[in-house]
Amino acid sequence: MAGLTDPDLLFAPETRTLARALYAGVKDLPIVSPHGHTDPRWYALNEPFPDPAQLLIVPDHYIFRMLFSQGVRLEELGVPTLEWAPVETDGRTIWRRFAEHYYLFRSTPTRLWLDHVLEHLFGIDEPLDASTADRHYDMIAALLSRDDYRPRALFERFNIEVIATTEGALDDLKWHRMIRDSGWHGRVVTAYRPDAVVDPDFEGFLANLDRLGEITGCDTGSWAGYLEAHRRRRAYFKEFGATSSDHGHPTAETANLSGAAAEELFNRIRRGSEDERERKLFRAQMLTEMAKMSLDDRLVLQIHPGSWRNHSPAIFQKFGRDKGFDIPTRTDYVAALKPLLDCVGLERDLTVILFTLDETSYARELAPLAGVYPALRLGPAWWFHDSPEGMRRFREMTTETAGFYNTVGFNDDTRAFPSIPARHDVARRVDCAFLARLVAEHRLREEEAHELAGELAYTLAKRAYRL
Amino acid sequence: MAGLTDPDLLFAPETRTLARALYAGVKDLPIVSPHGHTDPRWYALNEPFPDPAQLLIVPDHYIFRMLFSQGVRLEELGVPTLEWAPVETDGRTIWRRFAEHYYLFRSTPTRLWLDHVLEHLFGIDEPLDASTADRHYDMIAALLSRDDYRPRALFERFNIEVIATTEGALDDLKWHRMIRDSGWHGRVVTAYRPDAVVDPDFEGFLANLDRLGEITGCDTGSWAGYLEAHRRRRAYFKEFGATSSDHGHPTAETANLSGAAAEELFNRIRRGSEDERERKLFRAQMLTEMAKMSLDDRLVLQIHPGSWRNHSPAIFQKFGRDKGFDIPTRTDYVAALKPLLDCVGLERDLTVILFTLDETSYARELAPLAGVYPALRLGPAWWFHDSPEGMRRFREMTTETAGFYNTVGFNDDTRAFPSIPARHDVARRVDCAFLARLVAEHRLREEEAHELAGELAYTLAKRAYRL
Amino acid sequence: MAGLTDPDLLFAPETRTLARALYAGVKDLPIVSPHGHTDPRWYALNEPFPDPAQLLIVPDHYIFRMLFSQGVRLEELGVPTLEWAPVETDGRTIWRRFAEHYYLFRSTPTRLWLDHVLEHLFGIDEPLDASTADRHYDMIAALLSRDDYRPRALFERFNIEVIATTEGALDDLKWHRMIRDSGWHGRVVTAYRPDAVVDPDFEGFLANLDRLGEITGCDTGSWAGYLEAHRRRRAYFKEFGATSSDHGHPTAETANLSGAAAEELFNRIRRGSEDERERKLFRAQMLTEMAKMSLDDRLVLQIHPGSWRNHSPAIFQKFGRDKGFDIPTRTDYVAALKPLLDCVGLERDLTVILFTLDETSYARELAPLAGVYPALRLGPAWWFHDSPEGMRRFREMTTETAGFYNTVGFNDDTRAFPSIPARHDVARRVDCAFLARLVAEHRLREEEAHELAGELAYTLAKRAYRL
């Protein structure tokens, strides 16, 4: 192959011809990005991106966790500490450190994404290593200073039809307002992420409830007022394009308490109950409350459970959240979701999208559940599993029971804006390779595979997320 | 490919030639169906099958659960409610609804099975969709009215050497008696399924015990009489060809109580104990009791654990059991089976066949257990996993530790009689493809693969089930 | 193929050319065997090996468990009972029994290993079965009597650069001393396995502590003296080349008690506490204590959790340990290791190597943990999973998150000395086939694959184990 990414990337030799043909039909489809974490400020202000290291290395937990695992300190990579202890600030130095260790990423998705970015965004065709680090750095830095590398220009170049960001329930959405008021035609929507006001373990939870009351003019000292405040925030988020809410609970546990019991639980929580079971039950109940609100306002409800956040207290204390120390855990869905499903699972106008970090649930629990409950759909392979093998396992373990049409296409789920085309490209390639295999084994007709390739790359996401 | 099913179905291009050769050696072997749920009444009365929808759609939970998941109501598919609320009764309308949604089944086993039935049983070579629905319906309906499409004719055409049905312990086996008395040479045997008289949570359990006493003339008010009643029923089932019993418990839990403790537990259960632990313990103990009876009467004991039955109470209340809402759960075997294995696991004349809905147990628990305990064998990939990927995973995850000879061939496990040849065909193809891969990688010699293909398709089932 | 093992063994046809090329670069690399159970007495005394059955069948639990599962009694295979009841002693008879049942091992790793041994060590090219059993037996027996088939000659012929054995903490290492004093240049090192003096459930635990005190001159009646005794034994083992310790706990549970709490716990345990939670907690605490000692003496710490030892009490009572009745169990790492990781997980000079018998932990827990904690590395696919499919799953499920460089190459983990080259050969082939697939799909450049093949076959093991 010439360059960094082969045109046949991810296509098995034995089914390559068909995979190529399927991919040719979808590679230029617009990007629908219904779930992600890019910063709306970028699109609002449209300022140039910072230096290559600040853009591509420092904020990427996939990258710094791997280097950290091999003995590089986070400070050496410019990752800021909570107390602003001195860390490396020279972009070129950070970039060189990364380049020296780039071999660590062999056969990881980070490697695929970054090679794609280097070649397709920055026109680089030499492999990154210590010897090429400076040359690459200079090329990227030069391009980042150009107007056609500003956020909105890239958004358009990337052919993004719509992208969702994620904002907390207390966010004023000012960047979204600025985008809307700017007259720019790029479609950037928000999503409602209320963890800070539904999870009693969240930092500052009680103060957050007070703040929620101030923002909405509701009495968040009462259960009714608290629910009403959610309704108003959801409506406010919908004004800025939101079509979904998102919930990142430690488990998939749900509850279906009576109104009176829920109110009493809220009252105890509101008074600062330290009872771990009550706090857990409240989170569980709130998933069901959110689902009930979705019946009215039609927001799609996303559940992202099963991450043990901030596993290392030493790292958490020094560097804070999202530093690569979120570890997947075993996750049950069959018992955990039953209360929510008993309440709203048979609703045909509700969409609840389930994600997992526990692949053992794909064939055993998630596909059987989504293959019968009308309200359920399966989100794509998530986080550590958003990788060629991970996506292949997702299809192999869900399709035979849930089919393709109970899945929702691809989520890039990223804050790494430059990598968005790479991520969608990898997903499209993996799906085309999977479909090619089915056709080669006569499990699917070729024309069906072409139709499905388009569904998986584009249509299912639009439909499931109501975009 | 011409028609609906390619001659190379399920053969990977890179090992196709050998897979074909292996398959050629087994495709015409008689069908041994040692575990299933067809209705013995069919073979007894030999009446024509009903209309295409009543035969192929309405009773098939794989089909209606998928359509339900995408918003079709069960009533629209003719699924009867418990209270006989009006549901669609027009076969053609139901068939059309199904045809419009047939694309949902892409890459599911239902699609493979149904395409096989359409082509090989009904001579159809056009894909099913809304545009062909009526034509297909007419063709099928016309054939179903012919004598050579009656149950016994199909049984013979399907080349079924022996088929097992499953009857409850209280069944009088009158259809089996009628088959036997009819002089027809088709071999239809029963299997002993005592869930209704061993599971205290079964509907009408205590009345069932009374009835068991009446039927057998035993005092089912006493532990000794209750056990004797089982022995007599097992003997009765054996008169109608039974070579196996079958047990569908929520978990694989077993117990090995002393005679006195078991008797005391029975007495409490017999008096209607509501203690959940006692009820569970009784089920667990009864698996061991059944195994001990098998030592005497040589019935093969099958354990089918791990399904959370009737997950949706709303559906259960309206439509009853078996409506697609049985969801697999995580299942332990290592601790759960220990009491039974401590009691009878080393017996070389006992056969206990283990099934699972939790594929994580294949390599971790089931293969290591079956690879050492003489009494244990592994049943094939079951239910949601009776699919090409599911069967491949079963072989990949069990063979290296348990070998092929601790497995028992294929079970179709179906009440969908017309699909039986399709199901065995898929299983034979998947196994031949798996064996071809082993030969291609020089892990097996070609002559061994031919021998194994026959074992997996035919001999292992006969031997394991003593048929 | 001519002979028993094809030159293309384990290479998929579609990527064979590249796999061959990669394999050519590593097949003759020296063997580094950093974890195993060969008997140091062999290398010390250099006596001829016993007859073929005593060498290859009787001590191999992979072999006798499979035959036992199919009805052969252990006595018939010469497996000694604890009370020295009569068992088969005639090597030829045992060998014939094995040969008659050799078909049971089709598609198991035992078959691959043994065919390799037969062909490459004993020059046999006919498949083993009842008809060839005697001929094979005679050939093997004749060779075993030759000087160039004695342990040291084979060690050299096998091109073993270094091999680790495993000795209990109370072992006097006399065979290691004899090897060292003999002037032979073969590098045989020990490893520190303290289960008998850290696990209160171990047979004779309290007496073992007394003995530990005598050996070391430490007061093992006190916590401080007990810890000091460990330090001295570790230092002693290091004199005989040890670079690692090894810990075979039922679970991965660790603890991180304060010094005072640990001391108090030790005192209760030392007085013979029967409290199961305390005994468990002590084992858990001792893993952390060992890790802290590793910070000082740099022994690599290996954790081998999750085996339910001696599952059948009847077999255990009659035949003792290691009779094929060790069954894997579900194993948690995320919560279990947290206390140890909180204590030492961020240390860059510590190496803790994690093994698992629960493959569900690969992608969900182990790769995410090893992909961020500097102290963690992943051991290779272990025990039942040390097989082509098992090793492939290991790579597929760990590489995308942990990369290759957080793994430690291959362990043969065997007491079956003649099979060591076969085991390393299978591992090298599986890794080369995996890498070839990555190159064929353009996920890796060819020169990277060559470099990685060498790392996986040789360098990673040396580096991780500090050999």
Side-chain angles (χ1 to χ4, degrees):
Chain A
M1 77 203 192
L4 298 179
T5 61
D6 194 277
D8 284 330
L9 177 68
L10 293 168
F11 300 156
E14 58 277 17
T15 52
R16 186 168 284 163
T17 307
L18 180 57
R20 273 183 199 153
L22 294 170
Y23 175 68
V26 299
K27 77 184 170 66
D28 296 325
L29 287 176
I31 286 176
V32 172
S33 175
H35 177 91
H37 301 282
T38 58
D39 190 341
R41 178 189 167 114
W42 297 334
Y43 315 118
L45 297 182
N46 200 32
E47 292 171 340
F49 283 112
D51 76 57
Q54 287 299 330
L55 177 63
L56 298 170
I57 311 303
V58 180
D60 188 327
H61 56 83
Y62 287 88
I63 288 178
F64 57 68
R65 81 192 306 277
M66 177 68 94
L67 269 66
F68 188 75
S69 80
Q70 288 279 322
V72 182
R73 294 186 307 118
L74 294 182
E75 295 86 337
E76 298 176 272
L77 295 167
V79 178
T81 67
L82 291 179
E83 314 244 313
W84 301 102
V87 301
E88 183 59 63
T89 54
D90 181 56
R92 185 177 298 272
T93 303
I94 294 169
W95 183 261
R96 282 179 187 158
R97 276 191 191 122
F98 170 62
E100 283 161 18
H101 291 90
Y102 192 45
Y103 70 95
L104 296 175
F105 294 91
R106 287 167 174 168
S107 196
T108 69
T110 294
R111 153 73 177 269
L112 296 182
W113 299 329
L114 200 76
D115 273 7
H116 188 283
V117 169
L118 292 177
E119 177 165 358
H120 293 278
L121 186 56
F122 297 115
I124 289 168
D125 60 6
E126 277 183 313
L128 177 64
D129 58 28
S131 75
T132 58
D134 275 352
R135 215 149 54 233
H136 287 22
Y137 188 84
D138 292 334
M139 285 181 70
I140 298 168
L143 289 168
L144 288 180
S145 68
R146 289 183 6 188
D147 281 350
D148 59 340
Y149 278 77
R150 289 188 185 227
R152 290 185 183 179
L154 292 186
F155 187 103
E156 287 156 22
R157 178 196 305 212
F158 291 167
N159 197 17
I160 297 174
E161 182 174 311
V162 54
I163 197 168
T165 66
T166 309
E167 273 73 45
L170 303 177
D171 195 290
D172 59 12
L173 304 183
K174 74 173 169 185
W175 305 117
H176 281 274
R177 180 180 301 278
M178 192 182 294
I179 296 166
R180 190 179 65 182
D181 294 348
S182 74
W184 178 53
H185 70 273
R187 187 170 169 208
V188 179
V189 303
T190 185
Y192 186 62
R193 176 90 176 208
D195 295 0
V197 292
V198 305
D199 178 359
D201 289 338
F202 208 94
E203 299 94 300
F205 172 69
L206 293 176
N208 292 342
L209 292 199
D210 295 341
R211 179 83 188 111
L212 181 65
E214 289 162 31
I215 292 172
T216 56
C218 297
D219 172 16
T220 57
S222 80
W223 175 235
Y226 169 73
L227 292 180
E228 180 57 21
H230 273 292
R231 279 187 210 101
R232 293 194 189 171
R233 289 311 283 166
R234 291 167 66 102
Y236 184 72
F237 274 59
K238 285 185 71 172
E239 287 176 36
F240 294 94
T243 67
S244 66
S245 68
D246 185 31
H247 308 272
H249 292 204
T251 73
E253 207 173 346
T254 63
N256 189 15
L257 302 176
S258 70
E263 179 164 9
E264 199 182 311
L265 175 63
F266 174 80
N267 291 337
R268 286 195 301 274
I269 291 293
R270 194 60 174 110
R271 289 194 299 269
S273 164
E274 295 288 338
D275 182 324
E276 187 46 48
R277 284 163 313 173
E278 286 185 356
R279 298 159 80 87
K280 224 168 106 179
L281 184 59
F282 185 73
R283 281 195 296 266
Q285 178 63 24
M286 284 310 298
L287 277 180
T288 307
E289 297 295 338
M290 291 288 117
K292 288 191 284 191
M293 289 185 197
S294 284
L295 282 178
D296 295 326
D297 64 19
R298 288 180 48 82
L299 289 187
V300 169
L301 187 147
Q302 301 172 87
I303 305 179
H304 281 92
S307 179
W308 183 315
R309 304 275 172 179
N310 314 307
H311 192 262
S312 167
I315 295 293
F316 181 62
Q317 279 152 31
K318 187 162 189 187
F319 295 95
R321 292 178 162 265
D322 299 325
K323 291 301 171 288
F325 279 85
D326 300 337
I327 310 290
T329 56
R330 208 184 285 153
T331 305
D332 161 70
Y333 292 86
V334 183
L337 292 176
K338 194 168 188 307
L340 181 147
L341 292 171
D342 286 354
C343 180
V344 297
L346 304 182
E347 296 291 339
R348 292 181 290 168
D349 292 329
L350 174 67
T351 301
V352 175
I353 301 179
L354 301 176
F355 292 80
T356 196
L357 293 172
D358 181 353
E359 294 177 303
T360 70
S361 65
Y362 284 155
R364 186 182 60 216
E365 304 179 21
L366 292 178
L369 286 168
V372 72
Y373 278 102
L376 294 183
R377 294 291 182 273
L378 300 186
W382 176 38
W383 202 334
F384 297 105
H385 310 307
D386 173 17
S387 62
E389 300 295 342
M391 289 189 276
R392 181 178 56 77
R393 285 196 291 270
F394 174 78
R395 291 285 175 218
E396 286 180 358
M397 295 202 277
T398 64
T399 311
E400 294 182 319
T401 290
F404 290 106
Y405 292 87
N406 283 310
T407 65
V408 303
F410 181 63
N411 284 186
D412 56 65
D413 193 24
T414 192
R415 63 198 78 229
F417 182 62
S419 74
I420 286 177
R423 289 167 191 256
H424 285 259
D425 188 63
V426 167
R428 289 172 185 191
R429 287 175 177 277
V430 171
D431 280 336
C432 287
F434 181 74
L435 292 168
R437 165 63 58 180
L438 294 179
V439 174
E441 296 182 0
H442 304 289
R443 293 153 72 178
L444 205 60
R445 288 189 302 277
E446 195 168 334
E447 67 269 22
E448 293 177 298
H450 278 283
E451 189 183 325
L452 280 166
E455 295 274 352
L456 301 183
Y458 178 76
T459 323
L460 284 176
K462 284 193 72 164
R463 201 185 304 135
Y465 282 90
R466 303 174 177 178
L467 283 167
Chain B
M1 79 204 190
L4 298 178
T5 61
D6 193 276
D8 284 330
L9 178 69
L10 292 168
F11 300 156
E14 57 278 17
T15 52
R16 185 167 286 165
T17 307
L18 181 56
R20 273 181 199 155
L22 294 170
Y23 175 69
V26 298
K27 76 184 171 67
D28 296 325
L29 287 176
I31 286 175
V32 173
S33 175
H35 176 91
H37 301 282
T38 58
D39 190 341
R41 177 190 167 116
W42 297 332
Y43 316 117
L45 298 182
N46 199 33
E47 292 172 340
F49 283 112
D51 76 57
Q54 287 299 331
L55 176 62
L56 298 169
I57 312 303
V58 179
D60 189 327
H61 57 84
Y62 287 89
I63 288 178
F64 58 68
R65 80 191 308 276
M66 177 67 95
L67 269 66
F68 188 75
S69 81
Q70 289 277 322
V72 181
R73 293 185 308 118
L74 294 181
E75 295 88 337
E76 298 176 272
L77 295 167
V79 178
T81 67
L82 291 179
E83 316 245 311
W84 302 102
V87 301
E88 182 60 62
T89 55
D90 182 55
R92 186 177 298 271
T93 303
I94 294 169
W95 184 261
R96 282 179 186 157
R97 275 191 192 122
F98 170 62
E100 284 161 18
H101 292 89
Y102 192 45
Y103 70 95
L104 296 174
F105 294 90
R106 287 168 175 168
S107 197
T108 68
T110 295
R111 153 73 178 268
L112 296 183
W113 299 329
L114 200 75
D115 274 7
H116 189 283
V117 169
L118 293 177
E119 177 164 358
H120 294 277
L121 187 56
F122 298 115
I124 289 169
D125 60 6
E126 277 184 314
L128 177 63
D129 59 28
S131 76
T132 58
D134 275 352
R135 215 149 54 232
H136 286 21
Y137 188 85
D138 291 335
M139 286 180 70
I140 299 168
L143 289 168
L144 289 180
S145 69
R146 288 180 10 185
D147 281 350
D148 59 341
Y149 278 77
R150 289 187 186 229
R152 291 185 182 178
L154 292 186
F155 186 102
E156 287 155 22
R157 178 197 304 213
F158 291 167
N159 196 18
I160 296 173
E161 182 174 311
V162 54
I163 196 167
T165 66
T166 310
E167 273 73 46
L170 303 177
D171 195 290
D172 59 12
L173 304 183
K174 74 174 168 186
W175 305 118
H176 281 275
R177 181 181 301 277
M178 192 182 293
I179 296 165
R180 191 179 65 183
D181 294 347
S182 75
W184 178 53
H185 70 273
R187 187 170 170 209
V188 179
V189 302
T190 183
Y192 186 62
R193 176 91 176 207
D195 296 358
V197 292
V198 304
D199 179 358
D201 288 339
F202 208 93
E203 299 94 299
F205 172 69
L206 293 176
N208 293 341
L209 292 199
D210 294 341
R211 178 85 188 111
L212 180 65
E214 289 162 30
I215 293 173
T216 57
C218 297
D219 171 17
T220 57
S222 79
W223 176 233
Y226 168 72
L227 292 179
E228 179 57 23
H230 273 292
R231 279 186 211 102
R232 292 193 190 173
R233 288 312 282 166
R234 292 166 66 103
Y236 185 71
F237 273 61
K238 284 185 72 172
E239 286 176 37
F240 294 93
T243 67
S244 66
S245 69
D246 184 31
H247 307 271
H249 292 204
T251 73
E253 207 173 346
T254 62
N256 188 15
L257 302 176
S258 69
E263 179 163 10
E264 200 183 310
L265 175 63
F266 174 80
N267 290 337
R268 285 196 300 275
I269 291 293
R270 194 60 175 107
R271 289 194 299 268
S273 164
E274 294 289 337
D275 182 322
E276 185 49 46
R277 283 164 313 172
E278 287 185 355
R279 298 160 80 87
K280 224 167 105 177
L281 183 60
F282 185 74
R283 281 195 297 264
Q285 179 62 24
M286 284 310 297
L287 278 180
T288 307
E289 297 296 337
M290 290 287 120
K292 287 191 284 190
M293 289 184 197
S294 285
L295 283 178
D296 295 325
D297 64 20
R298 288 179 49 82
L299 289 187
V300 170
L301 186 148
Q302 302 171 88
I303 305 179
H304 282 90
S307 179
W308 183 314
R309 304 276 171 179
N310 313 307
H311 193 262
S312 166
I315 295 293
F316 181 62
Q317 280 152 31
K318 187 162 188 186
F319 296 94
R321 292 178 162 265
D322 298 325
K323 290 302 170 289
F325 279 85
D326 300 337
I327 310 290
T329 56
R330 208 184 285 153
T331 305
D332 161 70
Y333 293 86
V334 183
L337 292 177
K338 194 169 188 305
L340 181 146
L341 293 171
D342 285 354
C343 180
V344 296
L346 304 181
E347 296 290 340
R348 293 180 289 169
D349 291 329
L350 174 67
T351 300
V352 175
I353 301 179
L354 300 175
F355 293 79
T356 196
L357 294 172
D358 181 353
E359 293 177 303
T360 70
S361 65
Y362 284 156
R364 187 182 58 216
E365 304 179 22
L366 292 178
L369 286 168
V372 73
Y373 278 101
L376 294 183
R377 294 291 182 273
L378 300 187
W382 176 38
W383 202 333
F384 296 106
H385 310 307
D386 173 17
S387 62
E389 300 295 341
M391 288 188 277
R392 182 178 55 76
R393 285 196 292 271
F394 174 79
R395 291 287 175 215
E396 287 180 359
M397 296 201 277
T398 64
T399 311
E400 294 182 320
T401 290
F404 290 107
Y405 292 86
N406 283 309
T407 65
V408 303
F410 181 63
N411 285 184
D412 57 65
D413 193 22
T414 192
R415 62 198 78 227
F417 182 63
S419 73
I420 286 177
R423 290 167 191 257
H424 285 260
D425 188 64
V426 167
R428 290 172 184 189
R429 287 174 177 276
V430 170
D431 279 336
C432 287
F434 180 74
L435 292 168
R437 164 63 57 180
L438 294 178
V439 174
E441 296 183 359
H442 304 289
R443 293 153 73 176
L444 204 61
R445 288 188 302 277
E446 195 168 333
E447 67 271 22
E448 294 178 298
H450 278 284
E451 188 183 325
L452 281 165
E455 294 275 350
L456 302 183
Y458 177 76
T459 323
L460 284 176
K462 283 193 72 162
R463 202 185 305 135
Y465 282 90
R466 304 175 176 177
L467 285 167
Chain C
M1 78 204 191
L4 297 179
T5 61
D6 194 277
D8 284 329
L9 177 68
L10 293 168
F11 299 156
E14 57 277 17
T15 53
R16 186 166 284 165
T17 307
L18 182 56
R20 273 181 199 155
L22 294 170
Y23 175 69
V26 300
K27 76 184 171 65
D28 296 325
L29 287 175
I31 287 175
V32 173
S33 175
H35 176 92
H37 301 281
T38 58
D39 190 340
R41 178 190 168 116
W42 297 333
Y43 315 117
L45 299 181
N46 199 34
E47 292 172 340
F49 283 112
D51 76 57
Q54 286 300 331
L55 176 63
L56 297 169
I57 312 302
V58 179
D60 189 327
H61 56 84
Y62 287 88
I63 288 178
F64 57 67
R65 79 192 308 276
M66 177 67 96
L67 269 66
F68 188 75
S69 79
Q70 289 277 322
V72 181
R73 293 184 308 118
L74 295 182
E75 294 87 339
E76 297 176 273
L77 296 166
V79 178
T81 67
L82 291 180
E83 315 244 312
W84 302 103
V87 302
E88 183 59 63
T89 54
D90 181 56
R92 187 178 297 271
T93 303
I94 294 168
W95 183 261
R96 282 179 187 157
R97 275 190 192 123
F98 170 62
E100 283 161 19
H101 292 89
Y102 192 44
Y103 71 95
L104 296 174
F105 294 91
R106 286 167 174 168
S107 197
T108 69
T110 294
R111 152 73 178 268
L112 296 183
W113 299 329
L114 200 76
D115 273 7
H116 189 282
V117 169
L118 292 177
E119 177 164 358
H120 294 278
L121 186 56
F122 298 114
I124 289 168
D125 60 5
E126 277 184 313
L128 176 64
D129 58 30
S131 75
T132 58
D134 274 352
R135 214 150 54 232
H136 287 20
Y137 188 85
D138 291 336
M139 284 181 71
I140 299 168
L143 289 168
L144 288 180
S145 68
R146 288 180 10 185
D147 282 350
D148 59 339
Y149 278 77
R150 289 188 184 226
R152 291 186 183 179
L154 292 185
F155 187 102
E156 287 154 23
R157 178 196 304 213
F158 291 168
N159 196 17
I160 297 174
E161 182 174 312
V162 55
I163 196 166
T165 66
T166 309
E167 274 73 45
L170 303 177
D171 196 288
D172 59 11
L173 305 182
K174 73 174 169 185
W175 304 118
H176 281 274
R177 181 181 301 276
M178 192 181 295
I179 296 166
R180 191 179 65 183
D181 294 347
S182 75
W184 178 53
H185 70 273
R187 187 170 170 209
V188 179
V189 303
T190 184
Y192 185 62
R193 175 90 176 209
D195 296 359
V197 291
V198 303
D199 179 358
D201 289 339
F202 208 94
E203 297 95 300
F205 172 69
L206 293 176
N208 293 342
L209 292 199
D210 294 342
R211 178 84 189 111
L212 181 65
E214 290 161 29
I215 293 172
T216 57
C218 297
D219 171 17
T220 56
S222 80
W223 176 233
Y226 169 72
L227 292 179
E228 180 57 22
H230 274 292
R231 279 187 210 101
R232 293 194 189 171
R233 288 313 281 166
R234 292 167 64 104
Y236 184 71
F237 273 61
K238 285 185 71 173
E239 286 176 37
F240 295 93
T243 67
S244 66
S245 68
D246 184 31
H247 306 272
H249 292 204
T251 73
E253 205 172 348
T254 63
N256 189 15
L257 302 176
S258 69
E263 179 164 9
E264 200 182 311
L265 175 63
F266 174 79
N267 291 337
R268 285 195 300 275
I269 291 293
R270 194 61 175 106
R271 289 194 298 269
S273 164
E274 294 289 336
D275 182 323
E276 187 47 47
R277 283 163 313 172
E278 287 185 356
R279 298 159 80 87
K280 226 168 106 177
L281 183 59
F282 185 74
R283 281 195 298 265
Q285 179 62 24
M286 283 311 295
L287 277 180
T288 307
E289 296 296 338
M290 291 288 118
K292 288 192 284 190
M293 289 185 197
S294 284
L295 283 178
D296 295 325
D297 64 19
R298 290 179 48 81
L299 289 188
V300 169
L301 187 148
Q302 303 171 87
I303 305 178
H304 282 92
S307 180
W308 183 315
R309 303 276 172 178
N310 314 309
H311 192 261
S312 166
I315 296 293
F316 181 62
Q317 281 153 30
K318 186 161 189 188
F319 295 95
R321 292 178 161 265
D322 299 324
K323 291 301 171 290
F325 279 84
D326 300 337
I327 309 290
T329 57
R330 209 184 283 154
T331 305
D332 161 70
Y333 293 86
V334 184
L337 292 176
K338 194 169 188 306
L340 182 148
L341 293 171
D342 286 354
C343 180
V344 298
L346 304 182
E347 296 290 341
R348 292 180 291 169
D349 292 329
L350 173 67
T351 301
V352 175
I353 301 180
L354 301 175
F355 293 80
T356 196
L357 293 172
D358 181 354
E359 294 177 302
T360 71
S361 65
Y362 284 156
R364 186 182 59 217
E365 305 180 21
L366 292 178
L369 286 167
V372 74
Y373 279 101
L376 293 183
R377 293 292 181 274
L378 301 187
W382 176 39
W383 202 335
F384 297 105
H385 310 307
D386 172 17
S387 62
E389 300 295 342
M391 288 189 276
R392 181 178 56 76
R393 285 196 292 269
F394 173 78
R395 291 286 175 216
E396 287 180 358
M397 296 201 277
T398 64
T399 311
E400 294 182 319
T401 290
F404 290 107
Y405 291 86
N406 283 310
T407 66
V408 304
F410 180 65
N411 285 185
D412 56 65
D413 193 24
T414 192
R415 63 198 78 228
F417 182 62
S419 73
I420 286 177
R423 290 168 191 255
H424 285 260
D425 188 63
V426 167
R428 289 173 184 189
R429 287 175 176 277
V430 170
D431 280 336
C432 287
F434 181 73
L435 292 168
R437 165 63 57 179
L438 293 179
V439 174
E441 296 183 0
H442 303 289
R443 294 153 72 176
L444 204 61
R445 287 188 302 277
E446 195 168 333
E447 67 270 22
E448 294 177 298
H450 278 284
E451 189 183 324
L452 281 165
E455 294 275 351
L456 301 183
Y458 178 76
T459 324
L460 284 176
K462 282 193 72 163
R463 202 185 303 136
Y465 282 89
R466 303 174 176 179
L467 284 167

